[in-house]
């Protein structure tokens, strides 16, 4: 089948990419040169904070203290390499790519005798030689840095990773970074080599002092353990770190022997750099007040010609006490703080279980990246899974996931697992469904007002705080809560959970009749708050489509539970809203807002073509809820968003709002007015590109048959985050690592046509790309694996292989063909083959 046969319809504007660019299946991509500049790959566990690896191999952005900490790097904390061929001079390198401009020094913060005007910091080994060749390959949860230097007798490959296993949120929440460093002798002589990592004892940050580093050797592993004596164990400044290895030929020091003037850096060059050994103190040391000592661990090897060895560093941290550092101060145990005694116990658990943790993490990566989806789609979805490792999320004492919208440099941005942002996110629901169900339970428990169903859209801290209900409910977020309960039930099939949630869900849904749709005609005439941080006045289809989709979800849940009276009422209101929206809010091309006549109300969009105008239909497509509006109108509307809001560049676009796309970037604007009529004080953020919205539209375009248009949206985003302009692992919206980017998992669902209904025990599967030979990762409650479709001489065969867990399948629906389990063939214990004659 030719590529162009996959397209069902076109949106009426040029496709900004060639087919060669759009249908690129060559994964993974290796980046070099300037495309390394902005890379920062997060390592850590879900809710643990992270340490990031830069594109050149630096350890940057140490955000392990239960809050963001962009730009922070401990002193002397970098990898180093010693290598000496037999009868040759020794070689010493910092194991990083060469530093790139600017070279004037950092210009932020109060600094004396370093920083701006003093050049790159010597504390980062900036003046030492580095590797002349460096490349970065990302395949989350792993990344690989390949180093070479023509003057060295070895080449080096560093693979950095942390455990990340679908459905296993426990092992995926370990505060650890693992570095597997492969050293290869490329000469015909024997080579003696040492690879080493420095680690400053930064415990107590930013209140240093009285920190201790000591050596352990437990037989199966050994290394450096760090703690603090300045802060008691209940303090938010208390914590521990550990740097361990299972390798046994080591060298180490717990501090520099001398630090006056340049003695620290000179000792690295003159001692380690010439011998591959550390000669500093080996006894436990406690630093003076205000100081943070640096320890080093080196792993040695002797390589025969052509020989390769892999050496492993396990770096763990545990900051067990979370501090609410804004507003009224509170401190509580993190989930990791309740599970682990220290960073040493975390690192030892990892070492003891390394084959399983690495095997399952690698199996996930191999399965996911075997999907026949375009390279940039796989890259988009996988790269933003890393959000779960960043300070955008934490795990509360009982393990419930709590999130901000994104991150400021050193502060969370917009706390409260905000429902009108997080309702876009899809990734967690599929990879870690238990975490999503727990979030739903907490949200309804603390944010629902029992008297009328009003829901506060931000969860307050400390944990357990009941909502104050001092502001509007968010219509899109509240209806999103209803939809997500339906989604979680469909993925889990947990009827008891649904029964437990139903009374609260029903109240939340029917709150619409208290405030926004008092006449129950299916239109939101009342003032309703939304994710653009303003209130819409008059009926529109952004929140309106969420309302109608929530009514459909409510109908399905009510009918399943035997509440037919409610189900019938929801259906009646839905049918009215669907009819009236198509009659009153569709202008022949797209849906618009009907602002009350004569009203001078700021921040409305009126006749504009807004990006999220059929948001609820996107949800409905993913969850199998059918058509929310006239399907032809929906196709026209989503095509109009691409036709009018997508820009091939921004050279001629004034943007008075936040700048997330510029110059030769491509992207979708939040709102345009192709027919004129832009209000003077128009809707907020109209001139911006916001990634989470863009992903939603792109996937929805694919659902409606606009394949190339939908792929173009995704590729435009990833081209903006190419490593040169922006970090591929930090898609920012209102702050770094923005949660809404996890809407991009819907690309996998749209391209594969995959949906699972656990109550029906039915898989829906209808790929729209590579139809003759397609395969795709899937994950639902209880199981994850790969699903394939292959053309045969009698039709096609669909294969479902469960890689982890188990699931029940009674039916498979492929397009308009339904197959029950009598026609399914078990192949071994984990694979099901389904022949389809067509």
């Amino acid at each position: 089948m030719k590529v162009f046969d996959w397209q069902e319809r076109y949106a009426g504007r040029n496709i900004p990419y060639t087919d060669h660019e759009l249908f690129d299946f060559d994964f993974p991509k290796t980046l070099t040169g300037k495309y390394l500049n902005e890379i920062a790959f997060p390592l850590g566990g879900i809710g643990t904070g992270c340490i990031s690896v830069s594109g050149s191999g630096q350890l940057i952005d140490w955000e392990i203290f239960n809050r963001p900490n962009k730009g922070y790097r401990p002193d002397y904390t970098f990898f180093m390499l010693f290598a000496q061929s037999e009868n040759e001079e020794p070689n010493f390198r910092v194991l990083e790519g060469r530093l790139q401009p600017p070279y004037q020094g950092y210009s932020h913060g109060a600094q004396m005798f370093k920083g701006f005007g003093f050049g790159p910091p010597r504390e980062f080994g900036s003046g030492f030689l580095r590797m002349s060749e460096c490349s970065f390959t990302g395949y989350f949860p792993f990344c690989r840095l390949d180093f070479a230097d023509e003057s060295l007798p070895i080449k080096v490959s560093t693979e950095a990773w942390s455990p990340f296993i679908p459905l296993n949120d426990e092992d995926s929440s370990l505060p650890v970074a693992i570095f597997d460093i492969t050293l290869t002798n490329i000469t015909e002589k024997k080579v003696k080599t040492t690879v080493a990592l420095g680690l400053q004892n930064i415990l107590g940050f930013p209140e240093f002092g009285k920190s201790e580093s000591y050596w352990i050797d437990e037989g199966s592993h050994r290394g450096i353990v760090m703690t603090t004596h300045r802060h008691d164990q209940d303090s938010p400044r208390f914590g521990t770190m550990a740097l361990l290895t299972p390798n046994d030929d080591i060298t180490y020091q717990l501090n520099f022997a001398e630090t006056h003037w340049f003695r620290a850096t000179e000792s690295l060059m003159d001692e380690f750099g010439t011998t591959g050994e550390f000669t500093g103190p080996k006894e436990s040391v406690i630093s003076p007040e205000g100081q943070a000592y640096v320890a080093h661990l080196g792993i040695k090897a002797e390589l025969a010609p052509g020989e390769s060895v892999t050496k492993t560093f396990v770096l763990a941290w545990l900051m067990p006490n979370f501090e609410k550092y804004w507003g009224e101060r509170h401190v509580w145990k993190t989930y990791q703080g309740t599970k682990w005694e220290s960073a040493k116990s975390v690192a030892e658990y990892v070492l003891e279980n390394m084959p399983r943790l690495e095997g399952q993490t690698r199996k996930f990566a191999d399965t996911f990246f075997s999907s026949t989806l375009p390279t940039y789609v796989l890259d988009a979805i996988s790269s933003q899974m890393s959000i779960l490792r960043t300070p955008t999320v934490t795990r509360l004492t009982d393990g419930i996931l709590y999130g901000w919208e994104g991150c400021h440099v050193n502060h969370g941005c917009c706390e409260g697992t905000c429902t009108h942002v997080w309702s876009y996110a899809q990734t967690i629901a599929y990879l870690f469904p238990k975490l999503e169900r727990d979030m739903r339970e907490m949200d309804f428990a603390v944010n629902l007002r029992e008297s009328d169903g009003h829901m506060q859209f931000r969860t307050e801290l400390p944990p357990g705080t009941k909502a104050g209900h001092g502001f509007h409910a968010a219509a899109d977020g509240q209806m999103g809560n209803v939809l997500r309960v339906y989604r979680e039930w469909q993925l889990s099939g947990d009827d008891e959970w649904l029964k437990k949630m139903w009374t609260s869900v029903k109240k939340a849904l029917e709150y619409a009749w208290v405030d926004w749709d008092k006449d129950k005609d299916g239109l939101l005439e009342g003032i309703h708050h939304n994710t653009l941080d303003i209130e819409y006045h008059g009926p529109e289809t952004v929140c309106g489509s969420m309302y109608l989709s929530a009514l459909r979800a409510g109908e399905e849940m009510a009918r399943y539970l035997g509440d037919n009276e409610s189900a019938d009422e929801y259906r009646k209101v839905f049918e009215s809203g669907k009819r009236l929206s198509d009659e009153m809010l569709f202008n022949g091309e797209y849906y618009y807002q009907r602002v009350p006549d004569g009203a001078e109300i700021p921040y409305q969009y009126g006749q504009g073509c807004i990006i999220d105008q059929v948001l609820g239909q996107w949800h409905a497509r993913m969850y199998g809820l059918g058509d929310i509006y006239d399907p032809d109108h929906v196709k026209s509307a989503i095509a109009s968003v691409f036709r009018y809001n997508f820009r091939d560049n921004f050279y001629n676009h004034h943007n008075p709002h936040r700048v997330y796309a510029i110059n030769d970037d491509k992207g979708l604007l939040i709102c345009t007015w192709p027919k004129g009529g832009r209000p003077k004080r128009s809707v907020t953020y109209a001139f911006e590109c916001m990634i989470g919205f863009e992903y939603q539209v792109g996937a929805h375009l694919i659902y409606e048959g606009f394949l190339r248009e939908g792929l173009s949206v995704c590729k435009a985003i990833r081209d903006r985050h190419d490593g040169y302009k922006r970090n591929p692992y930090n898609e920012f919206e209102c702050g770094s690592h923005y949660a809404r980017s996890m809407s991009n998992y819907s690309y996998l669902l749209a391209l594969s046509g995959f949906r699972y209904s656990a109550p029906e025990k039915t898989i829906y599967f209808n790929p729209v790309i590579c139809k003759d030979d397609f395969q795709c990762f899937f994950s639902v409650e209880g199981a994850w694996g790969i699903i394939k479709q292959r053309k045969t001489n009698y039709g096609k065969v669909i294969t479902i292989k469960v890689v982890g867990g188990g699931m029940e399948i009674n039916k498979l629906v492929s397009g308009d063909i339904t197959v029950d389990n009598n026609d399914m063939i078990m192949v071994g214990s984990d694979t099901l083959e389904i022949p389809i004659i067509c």
Side-chain angles (χ1 to χ4, degrees):
M1 181 177 288
K2 295 181 180 179
V3 167
F4 55 76
D5 290 335
W6 298 337
Q7 185 92 9
E8 290 184 21
R9 53 186 59 84
Y10 287 91
R13 82 177 302 281
N14 67 297
I15 303 297
Y17 295 101
T18 66
D19 278 0
H20 177 74
E21 293 171 309
L22 288 180
F23 300 105
D24 174 10
F25 300 95
D26 183 19
F27 194 90
K29 297 290 188 185
T30 295
L31 303 178
T32 60
K34 67 181 183 181
Y35 294 100
L36 304 177
N37 289 2
E38 294 298 318
I39 293 172
F41 182 98
L43 297 168
I46 298 173
T48 69
C50 58
I51 299 164
S52 292
V53 180
S54 79
S56 62
Q58 300 169 342
L59 300 184
I60 61 174
D61 297 342
W62 286 61
E63 302 180 278
I64 61 175
F65 300 105
N66 295 316
R67 65 185 297 173
N69 200 21
K70 285 280 182 257
Y72 178 66
R73 290 180 62 185
D75 292 345
Y76 302 102
T77 302
F78 48 82
F79 283 100
M80 299 178 293
L81 179 70
F82 163 85
Q84 185 176 22
S85 292
E86 195 172 28
N87 302 319
E88 300 287 345
E89 291 296 311
N91 294 277
F92 169 53
R93 296 287 186 276
V94 171
L95 192 54
E96 298 171 1
R98 288 174 173 167
L99 293 181
Q100 299 301 309
Y103 301 131
Q104 297 182 95
Y106 294 128
S107 59
H108 58 274
Q111 302 175 85
M112 295 293 289
F113 299 104
K114 62 180 182 179
F116 196 78
F118 286 84
R122 72 174 183 276
E123 293 84 358
F124 299 161
S126 300
F128 292 145
L129 296 181
R130 281 163 162 73
M131 306 296 281
S132 62
E133 297 178 28
C134 175
S135 65
F136 176 94
T137 307
Y139 43 105
F140 184 90
F142 299 88
C143 71
R144 190 183 73 245
L145 291 130
D146 293 305
F147 301 101
D149 192 308
E150 61 183 12
S151 62
L152 295 184
I154 64 173
K155 64 179 181 180
V156 183
S157 178
T158 298
E159 188 173 57
W161 62 284
S162 303
F164 193 89
I165 305 161
L167 311 184
N168 184 347
D169 62 276
E170 295 295 326
D171 285 337
S172 300
S173 297
L174 294 168
V176 68
I178 302 160
F179 303 91
D180 292 319
I181 302 179
T182 300
L183 308 162
T184 302
N185 183 350
I186 58 174
T187 73
E188 296 182 358
K189 293 183 177 182
K190 291 181 181 179
V191 172
K192 182 172 66 172
T193 184
T194 305
V195 61
L197 175 60
L199 181 61
Q200 186 179 31
N201 190 334
I202 54 175
L203 295 169
F205 177 87
E207 300 168 16
F208 297 132
K210 296 185 179 179
S211 55
E212 180 181 9
S213 302
Y214 58 93
W215 178 257
I216 66 162
D217 191 330
E218 305 288 350
S220 63
H221 58 270
R222 55 210 49 81
I224 299 161
V225 177
M226 296 179 172
T227 188
T228 174
H229 299 288
R230 176 176 177 177
H231 306 281
D232 65 49
Q233 293 193 8
D234 294 326
S235 167
R237 304 288 171 265
F238 178 78
T240 57
M241 294 193 298
L243 178 61
L244 304 185
T245 180
N247 304 118
D248 53 12
D249 193 1
I250 53 84
T251 179
Y252 73 96
Q253 62 185 23
L254 297 178
N255 189 23
F256 289 111
E258 297 179 74
T259 57
H260 184 64
W261 279 95
F262 306 114
R263 282 302 301 142
T265 43
E266 287 175 347
S267 70
L268 293 177
M269 178 180 68
D270 293 336
E271 296 168 14
F272 177 83
T274 60
T275 67
E277 300 280 353
F278 291 109
T279 60
K282 301 289 193 290
E283 299 301 319
S284 173
V285 288
I286 298 177
S287 67
E289 189 78 17
Q291 293 188 36
Y293 285 164
V294 180
H296 286 85
L297 173 62
I299 307 173
K300 299 185 287 185
E302 291 192 8
L303 302 176
E307 183 182 2
S308 292
V309 296
T310 299
K311 304 298 182 181
T312 297
F313 294 85
V314 175
L315 173 59
W317 58 92
L318 186 66
M319 311 301 158
N321 307 308
F322 188 97
E323 178 182 27
K324 183 176 180 287
Y325 49 84
W326 65 98
E328 186 177 347
R329 183 181 179 274
H330 294 273
V331 178
W332 58 85
K333 284 286 184 192
T334 64
Y335 183 59
Q336 287 77 20
T338 68
K339 284 183 63 67
W340 301 102
E341 181 182 350
S342 65
K344 174 178 176 286
S345 61
V346 173
E348 289 176 334
Y349 173 84
V350 170
L351 286 166
E352 290 165 10
N353 293 275
M354 186 72 82
R356 177 181 60 82
L357 294 173
E358 181 179 359
Q360 293 181 1
T361 300
R362 198 171 298 282
K363 191 174 288 185
F364 161 61
D366 291 346
T367 304
F368 182 84
F369 291 115
S370 72
S371 304
T372 51
L373 304 181
T375 294
Y376 52 89
V377 174
L378 292 173
D379 185 46
I381 298 170
S382 62
S383 66
Q384 300 318 297
M385 292 175 188
S386 68
I387 291 168
L388 298 177
R389 294 176 167 177
T390 72
T392 292
V393 298
T394 185
R395 295 191 72 174
L396 304 178
T397 306
D398 56 6
I400 292 177
L401 196 69
Y402 179 93
W404 287 256
E405 294 181 25
C407 300
H408 293 294
V409 169
N410 60 3
H411 196 294
C413 182
C414 306
E415 71 273 9
T417 323
C418 177
T419 60
H420 62 63
V421 170
W422 278 82
S423 62
Y424 287 75
Q426 301 297 320
T427 303
I428 306 171
Y430 291 88
L431 295 186
F432 302 104
K434 179 183 179 298
L435 294 182
E436 278 285 1
R437 287 204 309 280
D438 289 348
M439 285 194 283
R440 296 295 82 70
E441 291 184 30
M442 180 177 71
D443 204 356
F444 280 94
V446 302
N447 289 329
L448 180 77
R449 189 163 62 198
E450 292 291 335
S451 61
D452 63 359
H454 177 285
M455 290 195 76
Q456 184 167 293
F457 57 86
R458 296 190 190 276
T459 300
E460 297 182 39
L461 293 176
T465 302
K466 287 283 188 178
H469 299 285
F471 191 65
H472 299 284
D476 47 359
Q478 185 151 332
M479 296 301 101
N481 282 346
V482 175
L483 284 163
R484 288 187 290 169
V485 168
Y486 179 77
R487 177 190 64 190
E488 269 63 277
W489 170 58
Q490 284 289 298
L491 290 173
S492 69
D494 190 338
D495 291 352
E496 293 305 312
W497 183 79
L498 179 62
K499 291 174 185 176
K500 180 175 71 173
M501 299 294 292
W502 177 241
T503 300
S504 296
V505 171
K506 186 176 176 181
K507 284 184 179 179
L509 176 55
E510 294 178 6
Y511 177 76
W513 303 339
V514 174
D515 198 2
W516 307 316
D517 181 23
K518 294 180 180 180
D519 60 4
K520 297 186 182 180
D521 67 350
L523 297 180
L524 300 181
E525 295 95 350
I527 298 170
H528 45 288
H529 188 75
N530 64 85
T531 196
L532 295 183
D533 302 319
I534 46 89
E535 290 74 52
Y536 287 139
H537 293 245
E540 45 71 41
T541 60
V542 178
C543 298
S545 65
M546 291 292 286
Y547 175 38
L548 295 186
S549 291
L551 285 167
R552 279 288 298 115
E555 178 193 353
E556 294 292 326
M557 290 184 284
R559 212 170 293 286
Y560 187 86
L561 295 173
D563 186 356
N564 290 319
E565 182 178 351
S566 294
D568 290 342
E569 187 166 24
Y570 299 154
R571 168 59 75 167
K572 180 181 177 181
V573 177
F574 165 77
E575 292 291 354
S576 173
K578 179 180 180 181
R579 176 180 57 82
L580 291 174
S581 296
D582 281 321
E583 289 177 358
M584 299 172 56
L585 303 177
F586 186 73
N587 67 6
E589 278 192 281
Y590 56 84
Y591 293 95
Y592 64 97
Q593 178 194 13
R594 189 176 287 267
V595 181
D597 292 338
E600 292 291 332
I601 306 166
Y603 313 128
Q604 308 303 294
Y605 68 91
Q607 299 297 315
C609 180
I610 199 162
I611 193 169
D612 261 4
Q613 60 186 269
V614 281
L615 173 62
Q617 186 66 76
W618 172 67
H619 284 276
R621 292 281 181 255
M622 288 186 290
Y623 312 151
L625 293 170
D627 294 323
I628 302 306
Y629 299 127
D630 182 310
D632 290 334
H633 289 182
V634 169
K635 288 176 174 57
S636 176
I638 200 70
S640 294
V641 172
F642 185 77
R643 183 163 58 250
Y644 294 127
N645 295 26
F646 190 89
R647 293 194 63 88
D648 293 339
N649 61 67
F650 288 80
Y651 290 121
N652 297 308
H653 175 71
H654 281 302
N655 177 9
H657 301 158
R658 300 168 303 185
V659 182
Y660 300 144
I662 195 170
N663 296 338
D664 63 346
D665 291 331
K666 298 177 175 64
L668 274 174
L669 298 176
I670 292 295
C671 194
T672 61
W673 284 264
K675 301 180 185 299
R678 178 173 72 87
K680 186 174 182 180
R681 296 179 68 188
S682 60
V683 69
T684 49
Y685 316 129
F687 297 87
E688 298 179 9
C689 295
M690 287 200 274
I691 291 174
F693 293 83
E694 293 177 276
Y695 278 135
Q696 174 268 129
V697 169
H700 194 180
L701 281 161
I702 292 169
Y703 271 120
E704 302 301 338
F706 301 100
L707 177 62
R708 284 175 173 80
E709 290 85 348
L711 292 177
S712 294
V713 173
C714 185
K715 182 161 176 55
I717 295 168
R718 295 311 292 167
D719 284 352
R720 300 202 303 258
H721 289 259
D722 61 358
Y724 173 53
K725 300 175 183 177
R726 303 169 185 87
N727 180 7
Y729 301 94
N730 180 7
E731 292 181 351
F732 50 89
E733 196 172 300
C734 185
S736 292
H737 310 292
Y738 201 78
R740 196 176 348 233
S741 276
M742 289 186 286
S743 62
N744 62 22
Y745 194 89
S746 61
Y747 267 89
L748 183 149
L749 305 175
L751 288 166
S752 66
F754 179 87
R755 179 168 67 86
Y756 179 59
S757 172
E760 299 174 356
K761 298 180 176 58
T762 299
I763 282 182
Y764 298 81
F765 179 58
N766 192 27
V768 299
I769 193 170
C770 304
K771 296 180 182 181
D772 291 350
D773 191 9
F774 178 87
Q775 63 182 49
C776 188
F777 169 83
F778 75 87
S779 182
V780 298
E781 176 74 13
W784 61 276
I786 195 87
I787 184 167
K788 304 178 182 181
Q789 176 174 291
R790 180 170 50 84
K791 185 179 180 181
T792 65
N793 55 10
Y794 57 78
K796 58 187 177 183
V797 62
I798 292 173
T799 305
I800 303 166
K801 181 177 177 60
V802 173
V803 177
M807 63 192 301
E808 290 187 70
I809 304 171
N810 286 344
K811 283 194 303 185
L812 179 133
V813 179
S814 177
D816 57 0
I817 299 172
T818 300
V819 181
D820 64 30
N821 57 12
N822 293 325
D823 296 315
M824 300 180 187
I825 304 167
M826 283 299 302
V827 180
S829 61
D830 58 5
T831 302
L832 198 62
E833 284 196 352
I834 306 161
I836 297 177
I837 300 173
C838 55

